[in-house]
Amino acid sequence: MRPVLVLPSRSKPATVCALSQQPQKSWFSFHSLSSTHCHLSSQTPGPRRKARQCPVPEIGQSSLPLPWLFLGYEAKCLKKSHKTVRSCSSAHQLQQQRAFRACAYPAFTSTSSSPSPPTNTLPIPQPPPPQPPRKTLAKFHPRSLSKNTDMEALFQYIKESGSEQPPLHMFKLLRSALYHCVGYSGTQAWRVYTAMQTNNVEHLMQLNNYAHLMNLLKFTKHQDVIARMFQVLEHMQKAQSEHRFVIPSSIYGQILYALKREKNVEGMCQLMERMSVEGVPLQTDHYTLLALTAKEMNDPQVVQRVAAFMIYATGKDGMVLGQEACSIIVHLLSRLEDTKNVVSFLHAIESSDPATMYSPESSSPTKPYYDTSVYTSLMANLARHGDDVSAKQLMIEMIKHGVKPNDFTYSSLIEAHAKAGNFDAALRLFRKNLTRKGNAVRSNVALTSIITNAMRQGQIEIAEDCIERFLKASGLSIQNIDSRLRTAILWVKVKRDVKEGQKFFDTLYNEHRDLCNDFMVNHLVTGYGNERDIENVYNAFSVLKTMSGNKPSSASYHHLTNAMFKCQDISGALMSFGKLRSFGMPDDITLAMVVHGLVNNKEGDVAWRLFKAYRAEGFEPSVRAYTSMLKAFSKRKLHARDGSSLLTRDLLDLAGIPNYPTKEFSPSDSTPQSVYAYDLFTQMTGYHQPNAYTYTTLISCFSTSNMGHTLAVYRQMLSENIMPTVETYTSLVQCCAVNRDAYTALNFFKEMRQLNVMPNRHTWRYLLKAMLRSRMSKSEVDQMADLSRVELGLEARRRRRR
């Protein structure tokens, strides 16, 4: 408690001085007592001498507070007349001296036992608190925090000096701790957020700060993590009501993910109902999380609850469920004894998305309600996933229960075989059940499926053989076949030789212009783009205006943009992308294509700006876009720019790309490329499942810098049951060559042999390089070199046979 100077009221003359504890008539009496020793003689001074010797102002004449006035005056008197004070011998003067010292050292309280009159209190100022040393201030500066910072010392520093720091400085300090000190600890992140609330700076948080906090909390294994996340959500809703930002649906997705980790299905359903009431758009990923939670619990009641909720959501909000969520629920419902749940679920989602999945382990349907259309619908969705084994077993059960398959059912099974790469079974089923019936329409659909899947898997010989046999056996001309089949035939010819495809198109265009379509031109544009023939790319694209008379479609601009990137015409590609944006917000496939094209043309800085701009608008890029950016970070030196670029500001504005340089690709930035790459990979795992190519790209980022991190990423890849490819092993062997570890490189080579992964010429080169840098014996290196020549020669002969 701070000491106060007690002043008597003027209404009662009998008072007690707070300093001398003597009865006084007024506050001037204390002054007269304490300043008696300042008089030079016992003669009563005159008015002028008194004013000069005792310059005590009257009440209201000084703007200074009374305590400061007394302290300054008495200190002056003590300095001038300490000899006079020492010579005083009377008891009264000694008492006055003690009172004066009490005034100079304000550690006193009023101890008078007599009742005091009403008083006015004024605080006596205290000396300023001790400031922390300069080293402490520098240590806990926002820019000085890192993962090595002592969190306990930081929180102690905030507790001691939090009230003295400006709010903005305190927020920057805690924000830096949230991003750089807590790591992946949700508990420490919550402590930082609690410190923000204690110091009243949480109102300075932005949307990205809340999103980062939520991302850390959702992985926390704590019993109160859900309550904490809902508390943060309430604070965000308060900020939204103040028009600071708008809460995206991804924030709710973080809470749903935390509920999934705790297997709280009921909580997930309640949160999704709350989102529907509050007008927050539900995403297909939210329903997928709900379905995965039901799959992990494997409880019949939970499965029925989730299926009923999805039926209610599709009926009320018209939500289109994703294929994965539907497949999981149908798979779980098919295991139940009552098979009506599967049919009810399929009928409920039929109007939105017929994507379903059938489990061969389920009980066989026995009621007539399960007709051919239900089986065909299930088989068609199995074909989309390439599950030909389940589709074939479903066909067997269908025939077993007396349900006759139709042509669409056989076409779905052929599609499943073709997508799975089982072309022998697809062709055998095609000849047996479709061609002998003479149904040209159904045959065209099935044959188109075989050809397109063969082209997507690089089996051009199978596609050419199918076309030749079909046209010869059916006796049909090009004009009498299906439009999709004609387009597939042109695709095969363009893939083999773009000039041959151009002749096929010119003949068809001159004789039957109405049979040509936009997809044929898109194949020609793509073919010339692969050949890097920019002139013919423009010529082929110009045919669209004369053919349709209308503006080209968004799909045509998509293929044109891709071809421009392949021809290394970045300006033309961005102009085409700007035209594409006039059709609306580009989808994730287009964004991934543009990012990939910019990265391949050494414009990683521009690609990163476009990537961040779309994320800022709430658009989540695809796995391919993330992987392309990881590739740019792995070769950051090639993409670094010092501000000079051939891309003008108008061109960037047309493409919707911000015109400012980024720190990540600045030549002056000394941060390792692996840091940015791993941070981006961590962000991606919250929304997507990485594939083998993504892990391979991340491994290549660490392969030239840190072997320990490289092996850690590889172990994580294996834990996710993702099979490594030859490119993955090549990056691993390259890392061993850089670190001169031939023993580990040979272990990876042995693992490749066990998994039947054939090494390519780059793998052999890095393996031999690792052996040479590790100073292995010349005989061992020569033996491995001879083996590489033999295997590479065999691979070359296999290619010539193909």
Side-chain angles (χ1 to χ4, degrees):
M1 181 176 179
R2 299 180 63 183
V4 295
L5 177 63
V6 183
L7 299 179
S9 175
R10 290 180 178 270
S11 60
K12 294 184 180 182
T15 59
V16 178
C17 180
L19 299 180
S20 63
Q21 304 298 323
Q22 299 294 327
Q24 303 295 334
K25 293 183 179 181
S26 65
W27 69 279
F28 285 102
S29 300
F30 168 73
H31 176 267
S32 62
L33 287 174
S34 59
S35 60
T36 304
H37 56 273
C38 298
H39 299 166
L40 299 177
S41 65
S42 60
Q43 183 180 0
T44 303
R48 298 181 63 182
R49 185 176 181 181
K50 181 178 181 181
R52 179 170 51 84
Q53 291 181 354
C54 303
V56 179
E58 298 291 338
I59 296 178
Q61 293 182 358
S62 177
S63 60
L64 294 175
L66 187 59
W68 287 107
L69 184 64
F70 276 5
L71 289 176
Y73 176 74
E74 298 300 340
K76 184 177 180 181
C77 293
L78 178 63
K79 182 178 180 181
K80 288 183 178 181
S81 56
H82 84 281
K83 293 183 178 181
T84 307
V85 173
R86 179 176 294 182
S87 63
C88 294
S89 59
S90 63
H92 185 66
Q93 288 179 341
L94 290 175
Q95 190 175 7
Q96 293 176 357
Q97 185 177 359
R98 295 190 189 99
F100 173 72
R101 291 176 179 177
C103 180
Y105 300 94
F108 57 86
T109 56
S110 180
T111 59
S112 177
S113 60
S114 60
S116 299
T119 58
N120 300 324
T121 61
L122 290 175
I124 292 181
Q126 298 296 315
Q131 296 291 335
R134 291 181 176 271
K135 292 184 178 180
T136 305
L137 293 175
K139 178 181 179 181
F140 295 118
H141 192 274
R143 296 183 180 179
S144 303
L145 300 183
S146 65
K147 62 180 181 180
N148 299 323
T149 303
D150 187 359
M151 295 297 295
E152 298 299 331
L154 175 62
F155 285 119
Q156 184 65 25
Y157 167 75
I158 293 173
K159 182 180 179 180
E160 294 176 356
S161 62
S163 59
E164 303 169 6
Q165 301 292 339
L168 183 59
H169 177 79
M170 181 56 61
F171 169 71
K172 290 182 178 180
L173 179 63
L174 292 171
R175 182 184 61 182
S176 180
L178 180 64
Y179 279 92
H180 304 296
C181 299
V182 301
Y184 296 100
S185 175
T187 305
Q188 295 290 352
W190 180 252
R191 291 185 64 187
V192 173
Y193 182 69
T194 305
M196 287 185 180
Q197 292 178 310
T198 304
N199 292 274
N200 298 323
V201 295
E202 74 277 3
H203 64 280
L204 299 176
M205 292 184 68
Q206 299 298 325
L207 179 59
N208 58 336
N209 308 138
Y210 280 109
H212 183 68
L213 175 62
M214 285 289 201
N215 190 36
L216 294 176
L217 290 177
K218 73 178 182 181
F219 292 106
T220 306
K221 295 181 180 180
H222 194 275
Q223 58 182 359
D224 298 332
V225 62
I226 302 299
R228 292 176 177 179
M229 297 186 75
F230 275 106
Q231 182 178 347
V232 176
L233 180 61
E234 291 178 0
H235 295 166
M236 294 183 68
Q237 290 177 342
K238 180 180 178 181
Q240 183 178 1
S241 63
E242 297 173 355
H243 305 287
R244 287 165 49 192
F245 52 76
V246 178
I247 303 176
S249 60
S250 58
I251 298 296
Y252 292 87
Q254 306 280 22
I255 303 178
L256 287 173
Y257 184 83
L259 290 169
K260 173 187 175 297
R261 287 171 58 89
E262 295 188 2
K263 299 181 180 180
N264 188 353
V265 173
E266 191 64 30
M268 297 178 70
C269 295
Q270 292 178 1
L271 179 59
M272 295 173 73
E273 290 178 358
R274 175 180 173 182
M275 294 172 62
S276 179
V277 172
E278 295 177 357
V280 180
L282 289 166
Q283 305 294 333
T284 56
D285 295 339
H286 300 160
Y287 289 97
T288 303
L289 285 176
L290 185 60
L292 289 173
T293 308
K295 182 180 179 180
E296 293 177 0
M297 297 183 68
N298 197 19
D299 187 356
Q301 295 182 356
V302 173
V303 174
Q304 293 179 359
R305 172 72 173 92
V306 172
F309 177 78
M310 289 186 175
I311 292 174
Y312 169 79
T314 54
K316 179 183 177 182
D317 302 329
M319 181 65 192
V320 178
L321 303 180
Q323 293 185 1
E324 185 177 1
C326 294
S327 302
I328 294 172
I329 295 302
V330 170
H331 176 75
L332 296 174
L333 289 174
S334 61
R335 293 184 176 183
L336 303 179
E337 296 180 358
D338 190 2
T339 54
K340 287 184 179 180
N341 295 323
V342 182
V343 180
S344 301
F345 184 78
L346 290 174
H347 283 193
I349 66 173
E350 185 178 2
S351 58
S352 58
D353 187 9
T356 53
M357 178 67 73
Y358 180 84
S359 173
E361 301 177 3
S362 64
S363 58
S364 302
T366 56
K367 296 187 178 181
Y369 189 81
Y370 300 93
D371 55 3
T372 307
S373 61
V374 174
Y375 281 101
T376 305
S377 176
L378 291 170
M379 200 172 297
N381 287 276
L382 285 171
R384 295 176 188 174
H385 296 277
D387 190 359
D388 60 333
V389 177
S390 299
K392 185 177 180 180
Q393 293 181 358
L394 184 60
M395 175 71 79
I396 295 173
E397 289 188 3
M398 180 180 181
I399 298 174
K400 178 181 177 181
H401 292 285
V403 182
K404 186 178 180 180
N406 55 18
D407 294 338
F408 293 102
T409 311
Y410 285 114
S411 299
S412 299
L413 183 57
I414 291 173
E415 170 75 14
H417 284 306
K419 197 161 188 178
N422 192 359
F423 294 103
D424 294 336
L427 291 173
R428 186 167 54 251
L429 186 63
F430 173 74
R431 301 189 190 101
K432 180 179 178 181
N433 296 283
L434 293 180
T435 55
R436 69 181 183 181
K437 293 183 179 181
N439 193 334
V441 177
R442 304 295 182 266
S443 300
N444 287 345
V445 174
L447 184 62
T448 303
S449 174
I450 296 175
I451 294 174
T452 54
N453 283 283
M455 293 297 295
R456 289 167 184 167
Q457 299 180 27
Q459 302 290 340
I460 188 173
E461 294 83 3
I462 295 177
E464 291 176 339
D465 183 64
C466 289
I467 293 172
E468 183 179 358
R469 290 188 179 186
F470 173 76
L471 294 179
K472 183 177 180 181
S474 62
L476 298 176
S477 60
I478 297 297
Q479 296 80 12
N480 298 327
I481 61 178
D482 182 64
S483 176
R484 294 184 179 180
L485 183 56
R486 277 195 300 269
T487 305
I489 293 174
L490 176 65
W491 185 13
V492 174
K493 293 183 178 295
V494 169
K495 193 70 174 180
R496 176 63 70 183
D497 187 3
V498 65
K499 294 182 179 180
E500 182 181 352
Q502 183 68 55
K503 292 179 181 179
F504 177 84
F505 177 80
D506 292 340
T507 303
L508 189 63
Y509 182 79
N510 295 328
E511 298 179 358
H512 305 278
R513 182 175 299 185
D514 55 331
L515 299 180
C516 299
N517 54 40
D518 297 349
F519 298 100
M520 295 181 179
V521 178
N522 295 338
H523 286 304
L524 290 173
V525 170
T526 303
Y528 284 120
N530 294 331
E531 297 289 335
R532 297 185 178 182
D533 189 350
I534 187 66
E535 182 178 358
N536 283 322
V537 167
Y538 281 113
N539 294 335
F541 187 78
S542 62
V543 178
L544 290 173
K545 298 181 179 180
T546 60
M547 186 175 60
S548 59
N550 300 323
K551 294 182 179 180
S553 62
S554 59
S556 299
Y557 279 111
H558 176 95
H559 289 85
L560 177 62
T561 305
N562 190 23
M564 291 294 180
F565 277 124
K566 292 179 180 179
C567 295
Q568 299 181 352
D569 186 2
I570 306 176
S571 300
L574 292 182
M575 290 182 63
S576 176
F577 179 63
K579 294 288 186 180
L580 179 60
R581 293 178 69 244
S582 63
F583 291 89
M585 188 74 172
D587 56 4
D588 55 345
I589 299 176
T590 303
L591 176 62
M593 180 267 296
V594 176
V595 172
H596 181 74
L598 289 171
V599 171
N600 287 344
N601 285 275
K602 300 180 182 180
E603 291 289 346
D605 180 57
V606 180
W608 181 238
R609 281 183 268 166
L610 177 66
F611 186 88
K612 293 198 300 183
Y614 272 77
R615 291 182 61 185
E617 295 179 3
F619 186 86
E620 183 61 30
S622 63
V623 177
R624 186 185 180 191
Y626 275 103
T627 306
S628 298
M629 289 312 310
L630 289 176
K631 181 180 179 181
F633 283 125
S634 65
K635 300 179 180 180
R636 191 177 60 165
K637 294 182 180 180
L638 299 177
H639 301 269
R641 291 288 185 271
D642 56 355
S644 60
S645 178
L646 298 177
L647 305 178
T648 62
R649 183 171 183 176
D650 295 338
L651 187 60
L652 294 176
D653 293 340
L654 179 64
I657 302 175
N659 188 21
Y660 58 84
T662 59
K663 173 188 174 183
E664 290 80 1
F665 290 93
S666 175
S668 60
D669 186 22
S670 60
T671 306
Q673 60 187 16
S674 57
V675 175
Y676 296 124
Y678 191 76
D679 181 53
L680 183 64
F681 177 80
T682 305
Q683 298 176 22
M684 184 193 71
T685 54
Y687 301 96
H688 304 288
Q689 175 64 38
N691 52 28
Y693 185 66
T694 307
Y695 275 108
T696 302
T697 308
L698 183 61
I699 288 174
S700 64
C701 294
F702 291 103
S703 60
T704 58
S705 59
N706 194 317
M707 187 171 182
H709 290 171
T710 303
L711 297 178
V713 174
Y714 176 66
R715 287 191 293 267
Q716 182 180 353
M717 178 182 180
L718 296 180
S719 65
E720 297 289 340
N721 295 326
I722 299 177
M723 294 300 298
T725 61
V726 61
E727 290 80 9
T728 308
Y729 283 111
T730 302
S731 299
L732 292 171
V733 175
Q734 180 188 6
C735 180
C736 296
V738 172
N739 292 273
R740 301 183 179 183
D741 190 352
Y743 178 77
T744 306
L746 291 173
N747 286 338
F748 283 129
F749 181 76
K750 181 179 179 181
E751 186 176 335
M752 291 179 65
R753 294 296 186 122
Q754 294 175 353
L755 296 177
N756 294 325
V757 179
M758 295 299 297
N760 55 23
R761 57 187 183 89
H762 300 289
T763 311
W764 285 108
R765 180 165 63 90
Y766 287 121
L767 179 60
L768 294 174
K769 186 176 181 181
M771 298 175 67
L772 289 173
R773 289 175 63 89
S774 301
R775 297 183 179 181
M776 295 186 67
S777 61
K778 185 177 182 299
S779 60
E780 293 176 343
V781 176
D782 293 340
Q783 183 179 0
M784 188 62 67
D786 294 339
L787 180 62
S788 66
R789 295 188 190 96
V790 172
E791 293 203 0
L792 291 177
L794 292 176
E795 182 65 22
R797 285 193 291 272
R798 290 194 193 101
R799 292 179 181 177
R800 285 194 294 269
R801 290 176 183 176
R802 292 178 182 177

